Amino acid sequence: MGMKSDIKLIDDNGLRIDGRLPNQLRPIKMEVGVLKRADGSAYIEWGGNKIIAAVYGPREAYPKHIQDPNKAIVRARYNMASFSVDERKKPGPDRRSVELSKVISEALESVIFTERFPRTTIDVFIEVLQADAGTRVAGITVASLALADAGIPMKDLIVGCAAGKIDGVVVLDLNKEEDNYGEADVPMAIIPRTKEIALLQMDGDMSYEELITAMDMAMEAAQEIHRMQIEALKRKYTEIEEVE
Ligand code: CDP
């Protein structure tokens, strides 16, 4: 977050550098069932982010001593391709990706009926091919589609969405410049049907009132993203019906 700078993030008309209104999402495209060998998969383009998710399982947890006799273990692995960012990222896990994998695993677990699959693992691979801020929330959104594609029972499709503050204005879905030079970024994972929050982080600083406004914005956008997820699932499964 924000080295304070002279870069203007909101212009005189109240528009952002990519022309968006404060409460406007970047363009989002989703596709379900993009990989043949995974049990479930999905792809998302969200602004400048391009992310693929693959799900394997539930399958018997191995080695056996990691098995939980009462539920499935949800293991998400967030990985950034070395070519996904401006400065080549050293391949392999680093502190950031280990932390993100952990919080994403917990967010996904909150919607999965894990108790139906004791002694198994559900592996979720999130591969960031191109990064432009908001990859953890886009990763959660696309992972949720891949889980649905794998037929894993969930109480709802979970949605990731961020809001924050730039040039003193509360805005939805920060892009890279806004993330770099803005005042605050608040990534969230939201369960749209119940409006539960399964992940809430904040980087930077903002007032209590601004935080509430940012959360409201993300909550509203989550309903819209949820509709896109359902449309993406329908597109895949109606196509298959037509072929058969
Ligand atoms: O992607 P997200 O906003 O969830 O996480 P972040 O740690 O706040 O990173 C924000 C953005 O910084 C990423 O989306 C990337 O575009 C960029 N980044 C980078 O260029 N190099 C890294 N090693 C990590 C992040």
Side-chain angles (χ1 to χ4, degrees):
M1 233 1 25
M3 315 130 229
K4 270 273 167 197
S5 80
D6 299 330
I7 296 178
K8 252 183 108 169
L9 296 173
I10 303 263
D11 73 12
D12 297 336
N13 300 317
L15 297 179
R16 299 155 70 177
I17 42 182
D18 54 12
R20 279 185 293 158
L21 294 165
N23 66 349
Q24 199 177 346
L25 288 166
R26 290 176 284 179
I28 300 178
K29 280 199 290 191
M30 305 171 185
E31 194 182 337
V32 176
V34 294
L35 299 173
K36 192 169 79 175
R37 282 181 240 295
D39 294 319
S41 61
Y43 173 68
I44 194 165
E45 289 183 8
W46 180 327
N49 296 307
K50 296 185 179 190
I51 306 176
I52 202 159
V55 168
Y56 293 83
R59 55 188 178 184
E60 190 183 358
Y62 191 82
K64 277 205 155 127
H65 70 82
I66 68 162
Q67 292 184 353
D68 186 327
N70 301 310
K71 63 179 180 65
I73 302 164
V74 179
R75 290 193 300 205
R77 195 198 65 171
Y78 168 101
N79 183 55
M80 257 181 163
S82 51
F83 51 80
S84 67
V85 288
D86 283 334
E87 272 187 48
R88 180 180 182 278
K89 192 208 157 280
K90 199 165 142 273
D94 52 14
R95 275 188 56 174
R96 177 176 173 277
S97 67
V98 170
E99 186 222 316
L100 290 188
S101 297
K102 179 173 187 290
V103 297
I104 292 171
S105 298
E106 288 166 358
L108 297 176
E109 185 176 354
S110 71
V111 287
I112 298 173
F113 292 115
T114 53
E115 65 286 352
R116 294 195 195 168
F117 308 101
R119 303 185 189 283
T120 68
T121 58
I122 297 169
D123 289 298
V124 184
F125 297 92
I126 297 169
E127 295 289 328
V128 179
L129 307 177
Q130 187 172 288
D132 197 52
T135 58
R136 81 194 62 193
V137 292
I140 289 166
T141 304
V142 69
S144 162
L145 283 177
L147 286 164
D149 187 39
I152 291 174
M154 293 183 280
K155 64 178 182 182
D156 197 0
L157 289 163
I158 191 166
V159 173
C161 187
K165 182 183 173 186
I166 58 170
D167 281 2
V169 181
V170 176
V171 298
L172 186 66
D173 185 25
L174 278 64
N175 66 26
K176 186 75 171 74
E177 289 73 27
E178 294 172 337
D179 184 76
N180 283 354
Y181 303 112
E183 289 104 78
D185 184 26
V186 185
M188 295 172 66
I190 292 163
I191 303 170
R193 192 167 48 79
T194 57
K195 296 193 166 184
E196 279 170 273
I197 296 165
L199 171 75
L200 174 64
Q201 299 179 306
M202 182 166 121
D203 186 8
D205 73 279
M206 67 204 311
S207 72
Y208 172 77
E209 285 74 18
E210 287 166 340
L211 176 60
I212 299 297
T213 306
M215 287 171 60
D216 282 343
M217 251 184 204
M219 189 60 78
E220 199 170 310
Q223 306 293 335
E224 188 184 337
I225 298 164
H226 190 243
R227 285 192 288 275
M228 295 182 210
Q229 287 174 318
I230 290 167
E231 285 307 311
L233 284 165
K234 277 191 189 158
R235 274 198 301 279
K236 169 164 181 206
Y237 288 99
T238 48
E239 268 170 31
I240 289 174
E241 270 167 37
E242 281 160 16
V243 173
E244 278 169 356

